Structure formats: C-alpha cells, structure tokens
Amino acid sequence: MSERSIFHSVNSVIAWLSLAFLVFPVLLTVVVSFNASFFIEFPPKAFSLHWYGNIGKIHRILDATLISAGIAIASGICACILAIGASLALSRSPLPGRAAITAFLLSPVTMPMVAIGIALVQFFISIGTAFTWYSLMIGHIVLVVAYPIRTLLASLALTNPALEEAAESLGGGRWTVFRTITLPQMKPGLVSGFLFASLISFDNYPISVFLVRGGITTMPIEIFNYITQNLDPTPAAFSTLYIVVISLVIALAEWRYRIISHTIP
C-alpha cells in the first residue's frame, strides 16, 4: 500500500469522524424530541409527539420568534448592503493596508460574543439608546457583517473583471455595469452571506441577552429561560422544527442560486 493511499485513507477516516462529531448533536436532538418521558433520556424508552404540542407553552415563544425573525432579516439585509461596498472596495481598489482593513472587518468572527455584547451595551447606555429594538439590530449587524463580507470577497475573486471593462468600453455607466454585470456574478456570495448573517442573528443568545429588556425578547432567550425552569424535551422539539425549516431554506437556496457548488470546482 503506497504512502499516497495511506494518506487518503487516513484523511477519509478523519473527515468522516469529524462529520459524525458535528452531526451527532443534531441527531441526538431530533431523537430526544420524540421521547415520551417527561425527562430527557437517550435512548428513548418510548416515542411520542406530545412535546411538539407543548411548544406553545414556552413563554411568549411566538412573539419572540417573530421578533428574532424580523431582527435577523433586517440585520442580514443591512449587513449585505454594507458588505457589498466593503467587498468591492477591498477587491477592486488599491487600498493601502488592505489586509489590515480586511482583518479588522472580519474580527467580530474571532472575538468572544460576550465581550462584544458587554461593549455594545456600554456604548448604547452612554448614548442613551440601550434596550431598544434598533440597538439590538445594530448589535446584530456588528456581529454578522463579517460573514457576507467573507462570502462576497470569495465570489468577487471568482469573477472576471474583463467583463466589466468590456461593458464600460461599450458605453455602459457605472451603475449599469454594476447592475447587469457585477451584481449577478456576486449573487451566490450575496445569498450565502445573507443566509449566514440571518441565521446567526436569529439564534444568537450571548449578544441579545445584553441588549434586551422589558417587552423586547428573542427566541433564544425564551428557549434558554424555559430550559432553566424545565427539563422536558420541549426545546428539543422546537429545535427539530427549526432544523427542518433551515434545512429546507438552505436546500432551496442551493437549488436556486447554487451557493454551495459555486465554490466547489
């Protein structure tokens, strides 16, 4: 057996083990959601759909989910708008210190979310806008804007600038060239960046818990509050529905925009 074959075999084993490590918590959550017991146990001794009907008993779960969805969509849209300008400037302009600027814009991904949350709440308190829906949205934009920047930079790296130059040479204005040539080429990165940003915003807890008070709450906060007071599988049932919905959204986006296969040769 050659060294190359051994390397590929070991690499395959590591890849499958890593995949199993990532997928196992998801499968565990799905299985536990059908548990008939009043306590979380694995493997289940009996199966039931009772806990799916119990989701409505989570305090303000509908309002919290709608607020989270609204904040997530708004944050995703705003983050993508900011990311379009940033990614075009970083990829098309000869900016001095471009690597440092890129690292700064992507830094929220590497920073502890709790630290970001504490910094944001102190900032909003100092300017008198803390604990409002727009301070929550701004906080989420700060957190998620790095994701569409990253995906758009990857998309722009795969585009052909000669197409834009050809359109300009044929009399196309900057807006026309951007709308008809540049933006369609950025679409896979834009869609995937929006999904990344929205999903991360939707189920974010560490930052949201610092930025909400009173009547404003989010889905992760209400789920966490329920878990601290109850040990039944209701949160697992809610999480299973969430996994199904998100999987369908990602599958639809891949079918329509090829957001995954676009970056795979």
Side-chain angles (χ1 to χ4, degrees):
M1 197 171 183
S2 65
E3 291 185 5
R4 187 181 183 89
S5 299
I6 294 174
F7 173 79
H8 282 296
S9 299
V10 173
N11 191 44
S12 297
V13 170
I14 294 175
W16 281 108
L17 289 175
S18 301
L19 182 62
F21 178 78
L22 295 173
V23 171
F24 178 74
V26 177
L27 296 178
L28 179 65
T29 300
V30 173
V31 173
V32 167
S33 71
F34 295 101
N35 187 7
S37 172
F38 281 88
F39 299 96
I40 296 175
E41 58 181 25
F42 184 85
K45 296 178 181 178
F47 294 92
S48 171
L49 295 175
H50 169 72
W51 303 113
Y52 286 88
N54 202 50
I55 291 175
K57 295 183 180 179
I58 301 176
H59 179 65
R60 295 188 61 189
I61 187 60
L62 179 58
D63 291 342
T65 302
L66 292 176
I67 291 173
S68 289
I71 294 293
I73 294 172
S75 299
I77 292 173
C78 293
C80 286
I81 292 173
L82 295 173
I84 288 174
S87 59
L88 285 172
L90 291 170
S91 62
R92 294 285 194 265
S93 304
L95 292 174
R98 182 163 51 183
I101 296 173
T102 303
F104 173 76
L105 293 175
L106 300 181
S107 61
V109 177
T110 62
M111 294 182 62
M113 291 189 186
V114 173
I116 297 176
I118 293 173
L120 286 170
V121 73
Q122 290 179 339
F123 170 74
F124 288 128
I125 288 175
S126 67
I127 62 175
T129 59
F131 315 128
T132 59
W133 67 266
Y134 50 86
S135 65
L136 178 62
M137 187 181 73
I138 293 171
H140 281 217
I141 293 172
V142 171
L143 172 67
V144 304
V145 70
Y147 295 94
I149 290 177
R150 180 69 270 177
T151 58
L152 285 172
L153 285 174
S155 285
L156 288 170
L158 299 174
T159 61
N160 185 2
L163 296 176
E164 300 172 22
E165 296 172 0
E168 290 177 356
S169 67
L170 293 173
R174 289 188 176 183
W175 169 246
T176 301
V177 173
F178 172 77
R179 181 172 52 84
T180 58
I181 305 297
T182 309
L183 190 59
Q185 295 184 92
M186 297 170 64
K187 190 177 292 183
L190 190 61
V191 173
S192 59
F194 173 77
L195 287 177
F196 266 120
S198 297
L199 295 180
I200 291 170
S201 170
F202 182 73
D203 62 8
N204 178 268
Y205 177 84
I207 287 181
S208 298
V209 74
F210 287 102
L211 300 178
V212 300
R213 289 291 187 278
I216 300 177
T217 187
T218 63
M219 179 272 294
I221 292 176
E222 292 303 325
I223 293 292
F224 182 81
N225 290 340
Y226 186 90
I227 292 173
T228 60
Q229 302 172 25
N230 304 272
L231 297 177
D232 60 59
T234 302
F238 181 87
S239 299
T240 299
L241 294 179
Y242 176 66
I243 291 169
V244 171
V245 171
I246 296 307
S247 299
L248 292 175
V249 170
I250 293 175
L252 179 62
E254 167 61 14
W255 172 76
R256 180 65 179 84
Y257 298 106
R258 314 294 294 177
I259 60 175
I260 300 174
S261 56
H262 177 77
T263 58
I264 300 178

